[in-house]
Amino acid sequence: MAFDFIQSELELRRQNNLLRKRRCQASAQGRLLRSEGQQYLNFSSNDYLGLANHPKIVEAWREGAKHYGVGCGGSPLVTGFQGPHYQLEQLLCEWQGRPAALLFNSGFSANQGLIKTLLGKNDLLLQDKLNHASLIEAGMLSGCQSKRFAHNQLEQLSQRLAARKQQNCLVITEGVFSMGGDQAPLKAIAQLCHQHNSWLMVDDAHGVGCLGEQGRGSLNQQQVGSSDVQIQMLTFGKALGVSGATLLCDHDLQDYLINFDKSYVYSTAMPAAQAMAISAAIELVRSDPHYQQQLQTNISLFKALAAELAIPLGKSNTAIQPVLIGSSERALLCSERLKQQGFWVSAIRPPTVPPNTARLRITLSSHHQREDIHALLAALASILSEQYEG
Ligand SMILES: *Cc1c(COP(=O)(O)O)cnc(C)c1O
């Protein structure tokens, strides 16, 4: 039979408790979610600053649609580069202290395009083992020599850099790791790259908005200068509450990508209205530290309470707080039990995370209230103890 792996692969996933299913959400993103007739406290989204449904940002999108319509009619090199796109690029450059920015429809396509455009068979790519699937997969597709180093293990990175024969080398890490919430030691990595004449790219999907002065992200928080990191990738779909992404770099690389990056050249640009919403989100994050402060308060409260209740957390100081469970079956069970009690928390299973490290990925947001966090952890402590006994 043609394509009979479809059934067998799905069956294998089902048997191993690894089958994925979507759940249809009936409400906007926020502190509460409505799904399938029930209401839940939302501890799963990447809307870390609670901006996904913010009236000012919604209004900016509405204004944008009034002036520019809902679509920009083409890719950026045809008709899809409009005033709001240009203004957003300028704002990004100023905010991040970079000469050039380029907009993409998603972080996934920004990462894929960059790697496939920049690296060929004579080049070397070194990535942290826990980098996002968009980075790891592009490395495999680009035809370059692609190697991973153990998570945050600089000794191994240093050996790989020293042993390399290729002239061009790009190291990629994340500012904040998406499934563990821990951070990369960017200063030390940048030093190594400098020593070995390698470029460094930081994917800061989960750092931007949450960390650093004016929400500039991981580089600012760790005081790493933009000259030490040649390429920075930021997404707008997480803390900034909208969607889309940018690559920040110098003018030469920007020109090169405009000419050769197929995910830039051959894709319809984001609507101008969306660019205006993103600009509004950045202005809000820059000018009002309250969102970031509230998030920090919630993270501290969560960690302190979890410690009191002896709930085992990963080593994270960020909005992403993993509760390590181990088996996929048990992680699913915990997630189900939390849902029964009105808490929306996802179980993250292999292959998204390494084997036997299934976890609950709890995400905190500035929209959570003290009582929400108390209630979640009380429920979780009781579920975890039940299961140890059972
Ligand atoms: C979410 C994410 C991406 C992809 O960004 P999208 O805009 O959602 O496509 C890339 N890198 C990391 C680390 C992410 O967490």
Side-chain angles (χ1 to χ4, degrees):
M1 272 226 309
F3 299 105
D4 51 5
F5 63 84
I6 294 177
Q7 280 177 4
S8 58
E9 293 284 321
L10 285 173
E11 185 49 37
L12 197 63
R13 280 217 160 169
R14 200 171 290 121
Q15 282 169 10
N16 292 325
N17 293 300
L18 295 177
L19 194 70
R20 268 84 164 148
K21 283 203 183 107
R22 301 173 302 170
R23 304 269 202 124
C24 194
Q25 310 284 340
S27 55
Q29 279 302 305
R31 174 177 162 254
L32 299 172
L33 281 183
R34 262 187 304 116
S35 177
E36 293 160 9
Q38 300 286 322
Q39 183 157 281
Y40 302 89
L41 273 170
N42 177 7
F43 281 100
S44 256
S45 89
N46 298 323
D47 181 22
Y48 305 123
L49 300 178
L51 299 182
N53 195 23
H54 193 288
K56 277 194 184 157
I57 303 173
V58 173
E59 187 49 36
W61 194 310
R62 209 192 301 272
E63 270 304 301
K66 255 197 247 162
H67 288 92
Y68 292 93
V70 292
C72 59
S75 59
L77 296 184
V78 184
T79 62
F81 184 59
Q82 296 168 301
H85 301 94
Y86 175 74
Q87 282 142 22
L88 173 55
E89 285 187 4
Q90 294 303 302
L91 177 63
L92 285 163
C93 290
E94 189 221 323
W95 185 38
Q96 294 292 332
R98 291 263 173 194
L102 211 52
L103 304 180
F104 291 82
N105 285 311
S106 74
F108 200 99
S109 70
N111 282 343
Q112 294 260 313
L114 182 275
I115 290 173
K116 290 191 236 165
T117 309
L118 192 61
L119 297 158
K121 66 178 187 328
N122 297 322
D123 308 317
L124 177 64
L125 172 62
L126 297 175
Q127 304 206 52
D128 189 289
K129 212 162 199 155
L130 297 190
N131 274 1
H132 192 258
S134 55
L135 296 164
I136 299 288
E137 194 208 44
M140 299 192 304
L141 295 174
S142 78
C144 70
Q145 172 83 248
S146 175
K147 288 199 172 132
R148 298 193 279 175
F149 55 92
H151 179 49
N152 276 343
Q153 292 302 307
L154 301 203
E155 206 140 296
Q156 198 175 40
L157 173 59
S158 168
Q159 285 162 6
R160 301 237 145 122
L161 282 167
R164 88 167 201 255
K165 301 195 176 61
Q166 295 86 345
Q167 184 187 352
N168 302 322
C169 174
L170 177 67
V171 172
I172 307 182
T173 187
E174 295 183 9
V176 174
F177 286 88
S178 56
M179 294 301 138
D182 57 331
Q183 296 171 264
L186 295 178
K187 206 155 208 158
I189 294 177
Q191 259 160 18
L192 273 181
C193 289
H194 184 72
Q195 250 171 42
H196 292 275
N197 195 23
S198 164
W199 275 19
L200 174 59
M201 167 172 171
V202 176
D203 174 335
D204 207 21
H206 299 275
V208 68
C210 298
L211 302 173
E213 272 168 51
Q214 298 185 7
R216 287 189 180 102
S218 298
L219 270 63
N220 180 276
Q221 188 209 24
Q222 298 192 35
Q223 303 194 323
V224 179
S226 57
S227 57
D228 294 327
V229 176
Q230 285 74 14
I231 308 167
Q232 204 181 343
M233 202 288 286
L234 307 177
T235 62
F236 307 132
K238 286 156 183 160
L240 292 168
V242 191
S243 183
T246 185
L247 287 172
L248 292 143
C249 54
D250 67 12
H251 287 295
D252 283 348
L253 181 56
Q254 184 195 37
D255 283 341
Y256 189 76
L257 294 174
I258 289 172
N259 280 277
F260 296 105
D261 185 336
K262 294 189 174 66
S263 60
Y264 188 73
V265 176
Y266 295 105
S267 186
T268 301
M270 68 170 68
Q274 182 182 332
M276 288 173 69
I278 296 164
S279 291
I282 293 172
E283 295 291 6
L284 209 61
V285 168
R286 286 184 80 173
S287 60
D288 190 348
H290 148 269
Y291 297 98
Q292 214 181 321
Q293 284 160 4
Q294 191 57 46
L295 174 61
Q296 280 311 318
T297 304
N298 287 343
I299 295 169
S300 304
L301 175 67
F302 178 90
K303 290 186 58 163
L305 286 177
E308 270 174 36
L309 293 166
I311 293 173
L313 298 180
K315 269 193 295 189
S316 162
N317 295 314
T318 66
I320 302 164
Q321 293 288 331
V323 178
L324 260 294
I325 302 286
S327 95
S328 296
E329 187 183 8
R330 186 154 176 260
L332 276 182
L333 202 67
C334 289
S335 168
E336 263 323 302
R337 295 276 286 116
L338 283 168
K339 283 212 175 99
Q340 286 161 8
Q341 299 185 39
F343 302 98
W344 194 280
V345 173
S346 332
I348 307 285
R349 295 162 287 163
T352 305
V353 291
N356 302 314
T357 69
R359 64 198 65 183
L360 298 172
R361 179 178 180 271
I362 294 174
T363 55
L364 297 164
S365 170
S366 55
H367 61 218
H368 289 128
Q369 298 171 2
R370 286 184 69 85
E371 311 83 75
D372 302 343
I373 295 169
H374 277 273
L376 170 72
L377 285 169
L380 183 58
S382 131
I383 289 167
L384 289 175
S385 69
E386 250 171 54
Q387 289 193 17
Y388 281 120
E389 283 157 19

